[in-house]
Amino acid sequence: MNGVGDRGGESVPDEEWERFLRESEAGAPGAPVEPSARAREAERRLRERSGPPEGWRTYAPARPRRRRTGWYVTGFAASAAVLVLALFPHRVVDWFGGGDGGASPAAAAPETARPEEAPGAEPGPGATIAEPFRGSPAARWADGAAGISVPAARATGWMDAAQVERALIRSRDFMVASGLDPRVLRGERPTEAIALLNPEQKDVQEYLRASLSSATPTAETDPLLLFSRFRPDHARLVGDTVRTRGRLTYREGRRGAVEVTADVTFVYPVTPASGDGGSDAEVVRTIVRREVVMSWDDPSKVVTRPGTMSLVSYALDLTNGGCSAPTGYFVPPFGTADEGAADPSHQVDPYDRTGPIGPGDTTASADGDCATATRS
């Protein structure tokens, strides 16, 4: 979906704008009327609510517009002002801080299907304590759980629509509890996330016991495979906001189960724990993409506990989180380049969500296999 006033991806030339302003004072006849931003937004929301959960249209992120300075309207009649808003809404948005000239960039539309291309470059230099997401696509992403899109529910497998809706909400709750809970990020036990896992799934319970109790985790028992954690004496979050982008999808799984897939990218801005947190402190963005497949099983066919789900699979793509042997914590590379031996011939974009996580797509894996990130 184009940004407000984006007419097919092209901005209105300055000469045309000046001509319009002159004609508006005299009353230009036959001026076309474009739907208002509010009308377009209402239409978009209606489409999102009414469409099926799979195969939704992909809404491309709204692009920030360059802010015009030195333009203002005065002396126009009310009708002319209304016409200005109808014909050139992006100009009005820019006047009131909607452009990229020092104001927050336009928010990206929710992700409702796999994007067809990676997000474009963002203006501005790198991250700072005051603006930890500046210069990255995350500058336009939503905060926390708001960035995880949940589709409309319909009866699937053994569940009716209301039950599917509860399963979707609990699936998002798991992603929040495992990747956004401040206590978990500080290295504490992920109690709320564990409470959503089927206690009868023995292999997962064994993984939890091994991963959360060992001081020397292996690639198979690394808690980072499911939970986001920073060592408190090494790194701390900048502010209290983590940016996210992703979505849930679902289908009927084995034995009539409702199988929910979460595909979410988390962007954690962190600074050295030993620093004073001043305005010139170093900020590194640790970028984590997770794909978690969860099965909400029919209790008449699978041994489970009410309100819990079984894990089918989980995968991790990590940037700026460490390339050495597993430690059980993300290790942002403060001060120097990451210590792992990154492969300069293998470059990946950590913000590219156009394909699934695969063996060759990760920037860092639990066993130290690293690639070079094209941006952070």
Side-chain angles (χ1 to χ4, degrees):
M1 184 171 65
N2 293 329
V4 174
D6 188 347
R7 306 172 67 83
E10 299 180 358
S11 60
V12 178
D14 289 343
E15 311 86 68
E16 182 180 341
W17 174 249
E18 293 171 356
R19 178 178 60 80
F20 167 75
L21 293 178
R22 291 196 303 270
E23 292 179 352
S24 295
E25 293 181 289
V33 177
E34 184 175 286
S36 68
R38 178 173 295 182
R40 288 194 298 263
E41 177 66 8
E43 181 182 0
R44 180 182 69 79
R45 291 179 182 275
L46 180 61
R47 285 197 302 265
E48 290 181 2
R49 286 198 299 268
S50 60
E54 283 85 20
W56 281 2
R57 174 185 176 189
T58 300
Y59 292 94
R63 290 172 292 178
R65 311 292 294 175
R66 182 169 299 280
R67 187 177 186 180
R68 297 286 300 186
T69 58
W71 285 88
Y72 59 94
V73 179
T74 182
F76 277 4
S79 59
V82 171
L83 208 55
V84 169
L85 180 59
L87 280 172
F88 304 100
H90 64 285
R91 293 280 187 161
V92 179
V93 169
D94 287 347
W95 294 336
F96 290 97
D100 62 1
S104 298
E111 182 179 289
T112 55
R114 189 178 298 282
E116 297 180 354
E117 59 184 6
E122 291 293 328
T128 65
I129 291 292
E131 298 180 82
F133 302 102
R134 186 177 64 178
S136 80
R140 301 194 295 115
W141 291 4
D143 296 345
I148 306 174
S149 299
V150 179
R154 55 178 172 78
T156 303
W158 72 280
M159 290 184 172
D160 60 26
Q163 291 171 312
V164 170
E165 183 175 15
R166 285 194 293 272
L168 290 169
I169 296 303
R170 287 170 179 162
S171 298
R172 184 177 65 177
D173 289 345
F174 178 80
M175 302 304 293
V176 170
S178 60
L180 295 172
D181 187 329
R183 295 168 298 179
V184 176
L185 296 180
R186 294 193 298 265
E188 297 181 25
R189 186 175 178 81
T191 305
E192 294 185 11
I194 292 174
L196 290 167
L197 297 174
N198 179 10
E200 304 298 333
Q201 191 177 14
K202 301 305 181 184
D203 56 342
V204 171
Q205 294 301 316
E206 290 174 3
Y207 158 76
L208 293 173
R209 282 191 293 271
S211 65
L212 298 174
S213 62
S214 175
T216 56
T218 66
E220 291 74 26
T221 62
D222 192 343
L224 296 182
L225 293 173
L226 272 183
F227 311 110
S228 294
R229 312 163 83 223
F230 294 89
R231 192 182 296 279
D233 60 0
H234 178 71
R236 58 183 174 84
L237 281 176
V238 177
D240 56 1
T241 299
V242 175
R243 292 286 170 87
T244 61
R245 185 156 183 82
R247 67 194 184 282
L248 303 183
T249 56
Y250 66 97
R251 65 175 187 175
E252 182 174 349
R254 296 180 60 189
R255 304 184 186 92
V258 175
E259 188 175 281
V260 179
T261 298
D263 181 353
V264 183
T265 299
F266 302 81
V267 182
Y268 304 98
V270 290
T271 192
S274 58
D276 59 6
S279 59
D280 59 347
E282 181 181 9
V283 177
V284 168
R285 288 187 285 254
T286 296
I287 307 163
V288 181
R289 182 181 174 191
R290 297 188 181 277
E291 287 182 356
V292 182
V293 181
M294 298 159 270
S295 180
W296 296 88
D297 299 312
D298 183 347
S300 70
K301 298 178 181 178
V302 176
V303 179
T304 185
R305 298 279 182 88
T308 68
M309 51 79 176
S310 300
L311 288 175
V312 176
S313 65
Y314 38 93
L316 161 77
D317 185 359
L318 173 62
T319 300
N320 287 338
C323 278
S324 58
T327 65
Y329 299 90
F330 295 139
V331 185
F334 296 125
T336 61
D338 210 340
E339 296 179 359
D343 180 1
S345 66
H346 177 198
Q347 295 188 336
V348 295
D349 180 356
Y351 295 97
D352 186 352
R353 297 178 45 79
T354 58
I357 294 178
D361 297 331
T362 58
T363 55
S365 64
D367 60 4
D369 179 22
C370 291
T372 301
T374 58
R375 55 179 170 174
S376 62

